[in-house]
């Protein structure tokens, strides 16, 4: 077999492959048998008709095409192995000659995995700022705990709605003097300042007393999910039905006993400080890892093919759709509520997808440069972790991975993680 390779633009590569005539003849025999087993020829059982009869029935050219379908892909993948080229798209074939008794000549064009020119990835200088754990941070946690332990009490008679109050509200919305669908609510619960309504709505209720009516004038945002309301001015006729406010408990030893397993406020504060320290340490370590991988990626040079970016965007959208379905929402509904469409969503993912693809390519290149391999026991450990996460046995998970042909994906995942750890372990002290 003769193979000639030519680089084209945009990471495209063209192969011109010559397959010996004997190989095409061999493929022709296999193609004839394949065709014979499928066609109905009067007087013969399937697969039993002589070659000459089958050729006359379907046409010799048809069988030659079938032979090319057998010989060309095999020759192409043999060529990939011979030239040590990885491709990231399906090849497009163009047959040059396909005559029996002569060599088969064809061209195949595909996008190849780009070459990575590694920069510095060992001895990187990585500095991250660990979050300070001071009295203010401890007090913030205590304030959140107080808020969770607060009692909700009815406001005194004659009270006016204030920021952070919890109210119940009757409302009915009008656009151009006409009530619109979905614009009415009864005993609707609302916290003032939550910004859960249209901008400006909640602020206009401040100062209103229980039982009072108030006309609230707002304009629907241009990106509002309901097309017929986008940018429209509206009036909501509102009535405040009730007002409730949070009453925080005293911050003392009794609170500590009620809100935790500690007997004193000082013990509770010490525990909060210890947990904040651990969280800050974990966050700093995570940021250190991310910064090291980011630097190694930025130091490398590689031209990322657009087709790889598009493929990564597809994966990101599929993952979003799966998360939404777990929450009981379809992707189409999410796009409608977000005031966007699939094309705009793809564009918002583009930069992240391109960065992720580049990172993967760099990690792969580092693994190759350093001879990093995945051992069987490391794959077994990954399967065990997956089994634990899904509440299954390792044997069950391994069987599914094998049946779905995802073993290469598993190896790639472990290899990337192992390579990332190599870069992190080699950060300059």
């Amino acid at each position: 077999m003769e193979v000639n390779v030519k680089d084209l633009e945009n990471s495209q590569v063209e192969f011109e492959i010559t397959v010996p005539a004997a190989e095409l003849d061999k493929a022709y025999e296999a193609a004839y048998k394949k065709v014979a087993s499928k066609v109905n020829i009067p007087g013969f059982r399937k697969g039993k008709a002589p070659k000459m009869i089958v050729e006359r029935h379907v046409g010799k050219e048809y069988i030659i095409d079938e032979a090319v379908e057998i010989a060309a892909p095999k020759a192409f993948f043999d060529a990939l192995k011979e030239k040590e080229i990885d491709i990231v798209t399906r090849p497009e074939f163009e047959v040059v000659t396909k005559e029996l008794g002569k060599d088969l000549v064809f061209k195949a064009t595909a996008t190849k995995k780009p070459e990575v020119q590694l920069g510095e990835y060992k001895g990187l200088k990585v500095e991250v700022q660990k979050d300070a754990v001071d009295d203010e941070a401890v007090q913030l946690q205590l304030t959140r705990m107080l808020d969770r332990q607060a009692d909700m009490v009815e406001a005194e008679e004659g009270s006016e709605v204030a920021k952070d109050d919890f109210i119940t509200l009757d409302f009915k919305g009008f656009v151009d003097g006409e009530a619109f669908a979905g614009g009415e609510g009864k005993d609707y619960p609302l916290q003032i300042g939550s910004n859960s309504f249209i901008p400006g709505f909640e602020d206009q209720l401040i100062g209103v007393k229980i039982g009072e009516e108030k006309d609230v004038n707002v304009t629907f945002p241009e990106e509002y999910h309901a097309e017929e309301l986008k940018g429209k001015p509206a009036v909501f006729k509102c009535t405040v039905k009730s007002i409730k406010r949070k009453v925080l408990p005293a911050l003392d030893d009794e609170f500590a006993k009620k809100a935790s397993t500690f007997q004193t406020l000082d013990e509770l504060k010490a525990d909060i400080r210890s947990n904040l320290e651990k969280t800050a340490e974990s966050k700093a370590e995570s940021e250190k890892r991310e910064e090291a991988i980011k630097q190694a990626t930025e130091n490398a040079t590689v031209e990322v093919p657009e087709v790889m970016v598009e493929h990564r965007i597809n994966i990101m959208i599929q993952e979003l759709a799966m998360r939404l379905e777990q929450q009981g929402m379809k992707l189409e509904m999410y796009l409608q509520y977000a005031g966007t469409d699939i094309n705009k969503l793809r564009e918002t993912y583009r930069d992240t997808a391109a960065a992720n693809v580049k990172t993967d390519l760099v990690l792969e290149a580092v693994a190759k440069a350093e001879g990093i391999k995945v051992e069987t026991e490391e794959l077994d450990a990954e399967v065990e972790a997956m089994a634990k996460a899904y509440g299954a046995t390792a044997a069950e998970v391994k069987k599914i991975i094998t049946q779905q042909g995802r073993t290469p994906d598993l190896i790639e995942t472990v290899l990337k993680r192992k390579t990332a750890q190599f870069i992190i372990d080699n950060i300059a002290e």
Side-chain angles (χ1 to χ4, degrees), residues 221-230 333 335-339:
E222 291 293 342
E223 65 275 12
Y224 196 68
H225 64 83
E227 189 69 34
E228 67 277 8
L229 297 176
K230 288 181 178 180
M333 187 183 300
L335 293 173
Q336 184 179 355
Y337 281 134

Side-chain angles (χ1 to χ4, degrees), residues 29-101:
E29 289 299 314
Y32 145 66
K33 291 175 182 177
K34 178 183 174 183
V35 172
S37 67
K38 291 181 177 180
V39 297
N40 291 312
I41 300 177
F44 298 94
R45 285 182 297 160
K46 281 186 178 180
K48 298 300 181 181
K51 185 195 299 184
M52 185 174 62
I53 299 297
V54 175
E55 289 174 339
R56 191 183 304 154
H57 188 78
V58 301
K60 201 169 183 177
E61 190 69 20
Y62 179 86
I63 302 175
I64 291 176
D65 287 341
E66 288 288 324
V68 171
E69 290 288 329
I70 294 171
K74 180 183 181 303
F76 175 70
F77 287 107
D78 286 345
L80 290 178
K81 188 180 294 185
E82 177 187 321
K83 298 297 183 179
E84 297 183 339
I85 294 175
D86 290 328
I87 60 171
V88 295
T89 59
R90 291 180 180 274
E92 293 183 4
F93 293 104
E94 177 191 345
V95 177
V96 179
T97 63
K98 56 173 182 178
E99 190 176 339
L100 284 179

Side-chain angles (χ1 to χ4, degrees), residues 154-293:
E154 295 283 350
E156 296 177 359
E157 188 175 346
S159 295
E160 298 178 349
V161 175
K163 191 174 182 302
D164 297 327
D165 281 352
F166 292 82
I167 70 171
T168 54
L169 180 72
D170 287 353
F171 62 86
K172 189 169 185 177
F174 298 83
V175 171
D176 297 329
E178 298 288 336
F180 58 88
E184 184 174 6
K186 295 287 186 182
D187 293 321
Y188 190 91
L190 176 65
Q191 183 182 15
I192 302 300
S194 64
N195 297 318
S196 54
F197 266 41
I198 301 165
F201 184 98
E202 294 167 28
D203 290 343
Q204 293 181 55
L205 294 174
I206 293 175
V208 178
K209 295 180 180 180
I210 296 172
E212 281 190 350
E213 296 181 357
K214 172 77 174 181
D215 282 358
V216 173
N217 294 278
V218 293
T219 299
F220 282 98
E222 291 293 342
E223 65 275 12
Y224 196 68
H225 64 83
E227 189 69 34
E228 67 277 8
L229 297 176
K230 288 181 178 180
K232 292 287 185 69
V235 178
F236 284 86
K237 295 189 175 297
C238 303
T239 303
V240 175
K241 303 289 286 297
S242 69
I243 302 174
K244 288 185 178 180
R245 290 170 180 158
K246 282 185 178 180
V247 177
L248 302 179
L251 187 58
D252 53 19
D253 290 346
E254 286 303 313
F255 167 74
K257 291 176 184 177
K258 184 178 179 182
S260 70
T261 59
F262 300 101
Q263 298 300 305
T264 68
L265 182 60
D266 286 342
E267 289 175 334
L268 175 57
K269 286 182 178 179
D271 183 67
I272 290 173
R273 187 179 296 275
S274 174
N275 287 333
L276 287 174
E277 288 281 4
K278 291 175 184 176
T279 301
E281 192 69 40
S282 176
K283 181 185 175 188
E285 188 62 29
S286 176
E287 289 176 350
K288 185 178 180 181
R289 295 171 65 91
E290 289 177 7
E291 179 61 24
I293 302 305

Side-chain angles (χ1 to χ4, degrees), residues 370-397:
E370 295 293 335
I372 300 172
K373 305 290 184 184
V374 176
E375 305 298 335
T376 303
E377 54 268 25
E378 291 171 322
L379 287 178
D380 291 341
E382 183 71 11
V383 170
E384 285 282 357
M386 292 172 66
K388 188 175 180 180
Y390 291 110
T393 66
E396 289 170 338
V397 172

